[in-house]
Structure formats: C-alpha cells, structure tokens
Amino acid sequence: MSLSIPGPSQQGLFKAGYQSHDAEDGAVIRNIEACQAISGTVQTSLGPYGRNKIVINHLQKMILTSDAATILRELDVVHPAAKLLVMASQQQDAEMGDGTNLVIVLAGELLKKAEELIRLGLKTSDITSGYEKAQNFALKVLEDLEVDRLKEMRSTTELSKALRTVVASKQSGTEDILANLVAEAVLAVLPKNPLNFNVDNVRVVKIMGGSLEQSKVVKGMVFGREPDGIVKQARKAKVGVFSCPIDTQQTETKGTVLLKNAQEMVDFTKGEEERLETAIKELYDSGLRVVVAGSTVGDLAMHYLNRFNILVIKILSKFELRRLCRVVGATPLARLGAPMPDEMGTVDVVETTEIGGDRVTVFRQEDASSATRTSTIVLRGATQNHLDDVERAIDDGVNVVKAITKDPRLVPGAGATEIQLVERISAFADKTPGLPQHAIRKFAEAFEVVPRTLAESAGLDATDVLSRLYTAHHRNNTDAQSEGEEEGSSSEEEEPYWTTGVDLEVGSGSGDGTIDAVDEGILDLMASKSWAIRLASEAARTVLSVDQIIVARQAGGPKPPGPNPNWDED
C-alpha cells in the first residue's frame, strides 16, 4: 500500500467565498443527517392516518396537506444532498403520480442503516455494491408477490379496487366516494386503447359549500362562471378562441382631435362603432356562434355580440384556455377577425347549469369516438384547504389509472409486501459471501420502516405489531415451503401466504393488530412500488458515493445590512 502524502490545501485554488466539505471532516455523515432530517419531516405523513403538515411558502400562502410531493415542493430545500432525495421523489411523482413519500422515507432509512455500517468501519464502496445487489434482488422478489391484477379496465368495481388504497392513503374514511368518482370520470373519457389515456382529460373544479357526498362527475369541461352575454347556451356550434382583447383598437401613439361641434363628435364615435360592428359581423358570417375570450371584452363589443346572438365566455387562465382549445379543436388567435376554417373548433353542447348556488358553464362533446372528450369532477367541501387536499388525492388516483394501463399487477398493501421483502432479502444476505452481506441485511431492515410508521401513526404498539407480523410471515413461509416439498407444485394454486399487514382500524382484523390485506381489499400497485424501491435505492447510493461538496460563492454583491441588534443600547 502506498504511503498517503497530504496534498496541498485548496487555499488560493478557488475564488474567495467558496466552501468545501471533505470526507475527512465527516461530509458523508453530515449528508446522511441532512437526508434524515428531510425524511423525518415527511415520515409522519405516511399512510391513511399520517399527520397533516401546515406549510407556509415563500408567498405566505398556507398549505395544509399530508402529501409528501406538495410538502417538498413548497419547502425550499437548500442542502445539496437532501435535494437529491427531493429530486428522486419528484421523479416518482412524474413517473407514477403516487408513492412519493415511500421514496423519501425508504431512502432516509437506507441512509440511516448505512451510517451504522460506516461507524462499524465499512467502506462506502462496500455498502453501495451491497445495496445494488439487494435492490436487484428486491425487484425480482416483488415480481413474485403479485396477488391480483385488473382484468377489466372498463369496470367501475375493478378500477375502484386499485384506486381505494391510493385514495385512502390521503383521504382516509372517504375513499369509497372518491374512488367511485375517479373511476366514473376516467371511464367517461377512456379511449378504445387504454394506453392512450391522457390524465389531463380528467379535470377538477372546486366549489365551496355542501359536503363531499354532493360531489359529482360532469361529462365535459366545467368553468366556474356563466357566459358574459345574454346568450347562455348553444348546440352544435362553431367556436372561436381569441387570446387578444375583443374591443375597439387602441392606437399606438397618442393623438389630439379638435372637434368643432356636436355633429363631428357623433361622426367620430360612429366610425369606431361601425368598424367594431363590421368585425363582429365578420365573425357571425364565418359561422361562429361561441366566442371564448382570453382577455377583456369591451362593453360595445359585448353589445354587438349579443345582437348577433353569439355566446361569449371569458377564460382568463391561459392553461384552461389551452385545454379548451384541445377539447374543441380550435387555435387561439391573437387578432380580432374571422378565423380560417382550420382555426375554428366545434362543440356539441355549451350550457349553463347551477351547482350548489353557483352558476357554471359546461362545454361537452357527445361524440363517443372523440379523443378530446373531457370529464370534470365537481368537488364540494367546507373549506378551501380541504378541497385542495381532496384534489391531490384525486390527482393521485387518476395518475394510478394511467399506471394501471401499463401494468395491471397488484401486491398486498398495509406493509405486508415490505415485511415479506425483509424476510426474503435477509435470507438472500445469509447466502451472500463477503462484506456486502452486511449492507444487504441492512437494506432488508430498512423496509421495516413502512409497517412501523403505519402502526405508530395509528396509535398502535409498533414493536408488538411488528413481532406479530414477522411471526405470521415466518410461519406461513415455512408452512408453504414444507407443503411445496410434500405436494410438489400444488401449493402454488392455494392462497398466497404473504398477505398479513398492519391493522390500522383495530377491530376489523384478528384483534392483535394484524390483518389480511387481500381480504380487506388493501392493494398497492406493483409498478409504483418497484419504481419507489429503484429510486430510493439509487438516491441513497448517490448520497453515499459523494465524498466532497464544493459550494461556489453566491452571485451578487454584499448582502444589505440587516436590522441593528443593539438598537436599544445608548
């Protein structure tokens, strides 16, 4: 082994103001601590009984939620290692739309276990190679844990089966109502080939008042305002979308007009009115009967639009305007004038209805083959915060449907899958030679965090529940193996034996804090689990492989002076 000669210090290498954290001064341990801090923040929000967090973001907006993706998005995480975990969670959100909390919690736990190994004297390279082997094995094991799969995408009951658990993890107690709402909204817009399902075709409109039971699905796009003119409905109409103001044109330069008498004044305004009337008549002649304005509509323009019986609605959100363009097949125009035939859209029905005292406008396409059909879930609730949180649960549900179209396999929930992974990976560690086996065993132990957190948040004795789970899984494992040896392959057709999970509603299961997840219909999506394991493991390995952090000096001049702390001293 070569003699290590201390290298030159980095003084004079970088500009003044750089910060460098080395492996020698415990950079890895500090990184792990930062990641554990972020994981501890969202860990208590895991599962149906997860605690809510109140986050007040940089705009002083208050957000009350237990959704990890939202919490992390609103928190401004600065630490570079913790940011890696947040990025892994964002990737899970983009890929699956669910399981963001599992990624953070699992990665945090993997790093906690790695810290124990580092303190025992293992090199980070041994830990990362062990974690990599364990991850590959865990993903293989997960394939064997399938207990059910969605056979029929177009059945509300089948879809609800997969949606209930996802929605329950955010909105416990109302999962049946919300799962049925999501299933109904999705089935209304599901194309012939389910793989082409677009999550953007299911919209949510929140209307304050009433209770969640009064929520309903409206087939079409719903806007929370009524048309501005006197025309309130239209059928089989051509639609023009204008992103510019519909009003008399303003000149670019200011001019002064000298009017000598009243007649000149009348003539002056008449010319302007005639030009606007010509423009609106042009729209009418081109066949437009519905005008969507993305900006202001002047009083005079409104008068002429009413006179020509054209329905006008203002939509000030450019995102909603874009979606409506997709639904009706129109192109937004930046000029006022008759659109070309290919720039116009068509809509089957535009109508104004009343939902809970609020007048709303519905754009509906009734053609069953149309790929631009949209369904909207109209949510009712007492407070804005509650409605926002329910919307997040629905968003997760719709994203899960998208994932189901790719992979319909389901694994048992309630922590059953995780306990089984602990059992199987630990057995794999016993067969692995060399130092990586310690890392593989710790990788297995990290999965314990899920059932433990579920039990703690439900107010159960976590240690007691975990020991019962291990007993049930271990006993069933040995029973299944002995039966398999006796009867050959016949044991495979019997009930799976890895479905014992944590009983969150004590009394519904066996009374000892455990429950059969499949019997209770608590099922998780396999694809979502496998992505979470993959991303959490890779995030943990990345953090462990960092041995130095170099932070550049921040741009900009000196900071402005803060308030004087000694202002009251003489």
Side-chain angles (χ1 to χ4, degrees):
M1 198 176 104
S2 63
L3 184 67
S4 173
I5 299 168
S9 72
Q10 291 171 351
Q11 209 170 2
L13 180 61
F14 301 125
K15 270 186 183 174
Y18 265 74
Q19 291 171 296
S20 173
H21 306 286
D22 254 335
E24 280 74 37
D25 59 359
V28 177
I29 300 291
R30 282 223 294 276
N31 288 348
I32 290 172
E33 282 167 1
C35 293
Q36 276 179 258
I38 200 105
S39 135
T41 306
V42 294
Q43 186 173 331
T44 49
S45 298
L46 186 73
Y49 288 97
R51 301 285 165 261
N52 282 335
K53 306 265 185 262
I54 290 181
V55 181
I56 295 170
N57 67 6
H58 62 291
L59 300 172
Q60 300 302 304
K61 184 186 177 201
M62 188 184 90
I63 293 133
L64 184 139
T65 180
S66 65
D67 179 37
T70 309
I71 294 167
L72 295 171
R73 191 170 52 246
E74 297 302 338
L75 290 175
D76 245 351
V77 179
V78 178
H79 195 284
K83 258 188 183 168
L84 289 170
L85 256 64
V86 175
M87 283 153 76
S89 152
Q90 285 168 345
Q91 185 54 39
Q92 172 79 1
D93 196 28
E95 200 68 48
M96 285 288 138
D98 182 42
T100 46
N101 208 337
L102 180 59
V103 174
I104 296 277
V105 170
L106 190 55
E109 195 66 14
L110 285 169
L111 288 168
K112 184 180 172 186
K113 300 290 179 192
E115 186 184 358
E116 293 169 17
L117 292 173
I118 289 169
R119 292 195 190 282
L120 285 173
L122 256 75
K123 294 265 193 313
T124 49
S125 55
D126 293 329
I127 299 171
T128 50
S129 72
Y131 274 9
E132 192 167 359
K133 282 179 186 166
Q135 176 203 330
N136 295 335
F137 183 74
L139 294 174
K140 274 190 206 134
V141 168
L142 201 62
E143 300 280 322
D144 301 339
L145 298 186
E146 177 191 336
V147 287
D148 201 350
R149 62 169 58 211
L150 287 193
K151 297 162 194 74
E152 179 49 62
M153 275 291 292
R154 296 183 190 280
S155 148
T156 311
T157 46
E158 280 280 295
L159 260 186
S160 297
K161 184 165 69 177
L163 291 171
R164 273 187 75 247
T165 313
V166 176
V167 176
S169 69
K170 298 274 187 299
Q171 291 292 320
S172 181
T174 56
E175 64 265 25
D176 290 327
I177 301 167
L178 292 176
N180 286 332
L181 277 175
V182 174
E184 189 187 334
V186 166
L187 292 175
V189 296
L190 199 64
K192 282 196 177 78
N193 179 4
L195 282 170
N196 296 335
F197 170 65
N198 182 2
V199 290
D200 221 26
N201 286 353
V202 178
R203 310 296 313 145
V204 174
V205 166
K206 298 167 285 192
I207 296 180
M208 289 263 284
S211 67
L212 198 61
E213 287 77 24
Q214 293 169 319
S215 304
K216 61 179 182 180
V217 174
V218 177
K219 287 172 183 164
M221 202 162 176
V222 177
F223 297 101
R225 58 184 300 159
E226 57 180 327
D228 294 73
I230 53 172
V231 185
K232 301 294 183 194
Q233 57 186 7
R235 288 184 175 275
K236 297 281 180 199
K238 288 189 176 175
V239 184
V241 180
F242 296 94
S243 56
C244 60
I246 301 175
D247 202 353
T248 51
Q249 289 177 347
Q250 301 288 328
T251 53
E252 284 180 19
T253 55
K254 286 185 179 177
T256 309
V257 179
L258 185 62
L259 300 171
K260 303 269 194 342
N261 51 39
Q263 188 57 42
E264 282 183 9
M265 177 99 169
V266 172
D267 293 343
F268 179 73
T269 54
K270 195 181 283 179
E272 210 164 43
E273 286 170 22
E274 281 168 2
R275 281 194 64 181
L276 192 58
E277 185 178 6
T278 312
I280 303 293
K281 188 173 187 310
E282 217 177 282
L283 297 183
Y284 180 81
D285 291 342
S286 69
L288 283 190
R289 295 295 175 271
V290 176
V291 165
V292 179
S295 191
T296 53
V297 179
D299 293 341
L300 190 60
M302 185 62 77
H303 163 72
Y304 287 122
L305 287 161
N306 285 340
R307 212 160 102 185
F308 284 107
N309 272 344
I310 296 176
L311 183 144
V312 192
I313 182 164
K314 269 193 284 193
I315 298 170
L316 299 178
S317 159
K318 64 178 179 187
F319 301 107
E320 291 292 311
L321 199 69
R322 217 173 284 160
R323 283 189 194 102
L324 182 65
C325 285
R326 207 179 61 234
V327 170
V328 300
T331 308
L333 300 173
R335 56 180 170 76
L336 184 58
M340 307 291 286
D342 58 334
E343 292 173 332
M344 286 187 217
T346 51
V347 67
D348 291 344
V349 180
V350 181
E351 59 186 4
T352 309
T353 55
E354 193 166 316
I355 297 175
D358 286 33
R359 306 277 291 169
V360 297
T361 308
V362 182
F363 279 72
R364 193 163 68 240
Q365 299 286 32
E366 294 186 326
D367 178 15
S369 64
S370 169
T372 57
R373 282 176 308 151
T374 307
S375 63
T376 303
I377 299 171
V378 179
L379 281 183
R380 309 300 311 282
T383 66
Q384 193 60 43
N385 273 326
H386 179 239
L387 284 173
D388 289 344
D389 218 23
V390 174
E391 183 186 8
R392 287 182 201 111
I394 285 177
D395 187 48
D396 278 10
V398 175
N399 276 301
V400 161
V401 174
K402 177 72 177 165
I404 290 169
T405 59
K406 296 174 186 166
D407 187 350
R409 293 175 294 172
L410 300 169
V411 292
T417 304
E418 281 77 10
I419 288 286
Q420 191 57 34
L421 284 170
V422 175
E423 290 272 318
R424 304 257 187 118
I425 300 170
S426 298
F428 171 63
D430 295 339
K431 296 175 196 163
T432 309
L435 285 175
Q437 68 166 288
H438 298 294
I440 295 172
R441 193 169 286 107
K442 290 291 184 190
F443 189 96
E445 286 172 21
F447 282 102
E448 215 181 75
V449 71
V450 175
R452 181 183 293 280
T453 307
L454 289 175
E456 280 171 357
S457 63
L460 307 171
D461 181 347
T463 314
D464 183 40
V465 170
L466 273 173
S467 62
R468 288 178 195 280
L469 284 177
Y470 276 126
T471 309
H473 279 253
H474 193 68
R475 186 178 62 237
N476 290 332
N477 261 333
T478 47
D479 290 354
Q481 281 164 7
S482 59
E483 278 174 30
E485 284 161 15
E486 286 168 25
E487 301 169 26
S489 61
S490 64
S491 65
E492 285 183 21
E493 289 160 23
E494 291 178 7
E495 278 290 301
Y497 51 83
W498 55 79
T499 57
T500 314
V502 184
D503 178 16
L504 297 179
E505 295 168 15
V506 180
S508 62
S510 55
D512 61 358
T514 62
I515 194 174
D516 190 306
V518 175
D519 290 353
E520 292 295 322
I522 305 170
L523 300 165
D524 287 339
L525 207 61
M526 187 192 285
S528 176
K529 272 267 196 281
S530 84
W531 268 105
I533 293 170
R534 195 176 285 129
L535 288 165
S537 168
E538 292 195 357
R541 292 209 310 272
T542 310
V543 171
L544 288 172
S545 62
V546 171
D547 77 330
Q548 190 174 16
I549 297 178
I550 302 168
V551 184
R553 191 181 68 178
Q554 280 193 333
K559 294 273 181 291
N564 179 12
N566 308 321
W567 61 273
D568 57 341
E569 287 183 13
D570 293 333

